[in-house]
Amino acid sequence: MTQRGIATDLIHHPFRAPEGWDAVPVPVMKASTVLFSSTAELHAPRPRDGISYRYGLPGTPTTYTLAARIATLEHAEHCVLTPSGVSAVTLTSMALLQPGDEVLLPDNVYGQNRYVTTGLLSRLGITHRFYDPLDATAFAALLGERTRLVWLEAAGSITLEFPDLVGLLRACRARGVLTAIDDTWGGGIAFNPFEVAPALAPGLGADIAMHALTKFPSGGADLLMGAVCTRDAALNRRLVEMHEFLGYGLGQNDVEMVLRGLPSISLRYRAQDAATRVLARWMADRPEVARVLHPALADSPGHAYWRQVSPDAAGCLFSVVFKPAYDQRRVDAFVDALRCFGIGYSWAGPMSLVVPYDLSRSRSLGLPWTPEEGGSLVRFAIGLEEVEDLRADIEQALGALAG
Ligand SMILES: *Cc1c(COP(=O)(O)O)cnc(C)c1O
C-alpha cells in the first residue's frame, strides 16, 4: 500500500479504544453521517418503529436513551423528542389531524398551542373550538362528527384552573376521540397522564402526553426540548412519520444536559412545589391581593378536580390577581422592585421568575374573576432559592405597589 497523507491518516485512524469501560453518565454520541459497514447494510430496509441508525437526524444512541427515560417518566411506552415544547405541540397536531378535521382546545391552553392552531392549522383547513375545561357537560356537547383531537392541559396556562380531567377524558373515550395532554406542569411527577385517577376511574387516561422538557426535566433554564409520548405503537408510528417529515433534530449536548438534569427531577419538583405553596398561601392573605390562582388553594378554580388527580403535587407556579385599585403601572412597579425574581418567560429552572400578563386577547370564554373583583395578573414561577428570602423580597416589593 502506498503511504497515505497525514490528513487521511487522522480521519481513517485505526486505533479503537478497548471495550469494557463504563461510567454513570450516558456517552454523548454525535452524528450527521452514520457509517454503514457495507453496501448490504445500506440497502437493508428501514425500520419504522422510531429507532433508526441510518442518519443522525432521527437520533443517536444518546437521543434514544433519553427518549426511553422520558417514556418512563411519563408512564408511556414510546417517546419522540423534538427541539422545543412548541415543536412537540405542532408535531402532535400535525400527526393526528387532516384537512376537514376539528381540534378542541381548553380556553386556558398554552399560548403557542393556541397560536399554532389558529394560525398554522386553520391554514391547512383544520378547524378548532375552545372549551371550558371545568365544564365536562358543555364539553361533551361540543364533540362532533369532525372532532378528531382534544388537547388537555392540567393545570391550564397562567390562570391555572385544574380541568375536570376525569369528566373530559370520559366524554372523549365515549366518542372515540383522541386526546393529547400537555403534561409540562405535572412534569410526569404529579400524575400519570395515561391513568389520571386510578381509584376513581381505572384505566382512564390520555392517548398522548406532550412535555416541554425545557422546564422540569432540564431544570437549568439553559435549553429547549420537547417530547411526545404514547403507549400505542400505531400512534407512535404516526408521530415518528411526522417527526421525519418535519425534520426535527436535536443537538446531543442538549440531550446530555437533560440526561444530567433528569435524576434530580422529583427532588426539584417537590422542593419547588413546597416553596410555591408557602408563598401562594402567604400571598392569598395579603390585603393588596384579590385572588391567588394555585390548584392547591381551596378557592382556586378546579381545586376539587386537582384533589382527584394530583393531591400530592401542585407544581411551581401561581398567579396573583391584584385588586382593581392597583393599575398596570403600579403592578409593573411592584414587578420591577423584586430583586430575587427575574422578569422572564419559562419556569422550573433555578431562578424564580415573574411575568405580568395581559390576558385580554388570549381567552375566548372569559376569566375566572370579574373586573370589579380583580385587575392585573402576575404569574410567579418559584425556583430553588430560600423560600424566606423570596417571601421577604415580595414583601418589600409590595411597598412599591402601594406607591
Ligand atoms: C413552556 C411550555 C411549552 C413550550 O415549551 P418550549 O420548549 O418553550 O417551546 C408548552 N406547554 C407548556 C405548558 C409550557 O409551559
Side-chain angles (χ1 to χ4, degrees), residues 83-87 89 110 112 153 155 157 182-185 210-215 223-226 317 346-347 379:
S84 65
V86 172
S87 60
V89 168
Y110 182 70
Q112 281 287 113
E153 202 176 313
S157 279
D182 183 331
D183 195 30
T184 306
W185 176 93
M210 170 261 142
H211 194 160
L213 307 184
T214 307
K215 309 290 169 50
L223 60 89
L224 295 145
M225 203 177 291
L317 302 171
S346 199
W347 41 273
R379 204 254 331 254

Side-chain angles (χ1 to χ4, degrees), residues 129-194:
R129 281 185 289 167
F130 295 102
Y131 67 89
D132 175 354
L134 298 172
D135 189 345
T137 308
F139 168 78
L142 286 180
L143 293 171
E145 284 306 309
R146 295 192 301 109
T147 314
R148 284 287 169 280
L149 174 66
V150 170
W151 274 99
L152 305 152
E153 202 176 313
S157 279
I158 322 295
T159 38
L160 297 161
E161 297 94 338
F162 205 92
D164 178 4
L165 274 187
V166 171
L168 298 170
L169 286 167
R170 274 191 180 138
C172 293
R173 278 276 168 96
R175 297 291 297 262
V177 176
L178 287 174
T179 49
I181 187 162
D182 183 331
D183 195 30
T184 306
W185 176 93
I189 304 287
F191 58 89
N192 173 352
F194 297 94

Side-chain angles (χ1 to χ4, degrees), residues 77-310:
E77 298 288 331
H78 312 277
C79 168
V80 291
L81 298 176
T82 67
S84 65
V86 172
S87 60
V89 168
T90 310
L91 173 74
T92 305
S93 287
M94 293 287 281
L96 303 181
L97 295 166
Q98 311 271 355
D101 290 348
E102 178 186 68
V103 56
L104 299 184
L105 304 178
D107 200 34
N108 55 10
V109 72
Y110 182 70
Q112 281 287 113
N113 193 341
R114 178 180 283 260
Y115 186 53
V116 166
T117 304
T118 58
L120 176 65
L121 298 184
S122 47
R123 246 193 253 176
L124 303 175
I126 297 158
T127 61
H128 60 269
R129 281 185 289 167
F130 295 102
Y131 67 89
D132 175 354
L134 298 172
D135 189 345
T137 308
F139 168 78
L142 286 180
L143 293 171
E145 284 306 309
R146 295 192 301 109
T147 314
R148 284 287 169 280
L149 174 66
V150 170
W151 274 99
L152 305 152
E153 202 176 313
S157 279
I158 322 295
T159 38
L160 297 161
E161 297 94 338
F162 205 92
D164 178 4
L165 274 187
V166 171
L168 298 170
L169 286 167
R170 274 191 180 138
C172 293
R173 278 276 168 96
R175 297 291 297 262
V177 176
L178 287 174
T179 49
I181 187 162
D182 183 331
D183 195 30
T184 306
W185 176 93
I189 304 287
F191 58 89
N192 173 352
F194 297 94
E195 188 171 28
V196 297
L200 187 68
L204 185 71
D207 297 298
I208 284 179
M210 170 261 142
H211 194 160
L213 307 184
T214 307
K215 309 290 169 50
F216 279 114
S218 154
D222 49 3
L223 60 89
L224 295 145
M225 203 177 291
V228 187
C229 300
T230 180
R231 289 181 166 180
D232 183 302
L235 275 181
N236 185 55
R237 274 194 294 276
R238 290 163 73 180
L239 295 166
V240 167
E241 180 194 55
M242 185 52 66
H243 194 261
E244 205 174 307
F245 288 149
L246 295 172
Y248 285 162
L250 295 170
Q252 300 308 317
N253 290 118
D254 286 349
V255 172
E256 175 195 25
M257 301 271 267
V258 180
L259 284 165
R260 198 171 195 273
L262 212 51
S264 61
I265 186 172
S266 63
L267 291 174
R268 288 183 284 107
Y269 192 104
R270 300 288 170 203
Q272 288 171 261
D273 178 355
T276 303
R277 292 188 207 217
V278 168
L279 294 169
R281 287 198 191 103
W282 182 80
M283 280 302 268
D285 289 337
R286 292 288 310 193
E288 302 88 344
V289 167
R291 296 283 293 273
V292 174
L293 305 166
H294 179 277
L297 296 181
D299 64 348
S300 199
H303 172 73
Y305 301 129
W306 171 78
R307 289 173 67 101
Q308 284 178 352
V309 166
S310 177

Side-chain angles (χ1 to χ4, degrees), residues 54-85:
R54 299 181 56 84
Y55 191 55
L57 191 53
T60 75
T62 312
T63 334
Y64 296 129
T65 302
L66 178 60
R69 291 183 188 186
I70 298 295
T72 299
L73 176 69
E74 287 291 351
H75 310 79
E77 298 288 331
H78 312 277
C79 168
V80 291
L81 298 176
T82 67
S84 65

Side-chain angles (χ1 to χ4, degrees), residues 11-12 16 30-39 41-42 53-56:
I11 296 165
H12 296 269
R16 295 286 176 274
K30 302 183 179 188
S32 50
T33 300
V34 171
L35 295 174
F36 298 88
S37 59
S38 65
T39 49
E41 198 190 344
L42 178 78
Y53 293 138
R54 299 181 56 84
Y55 191 55

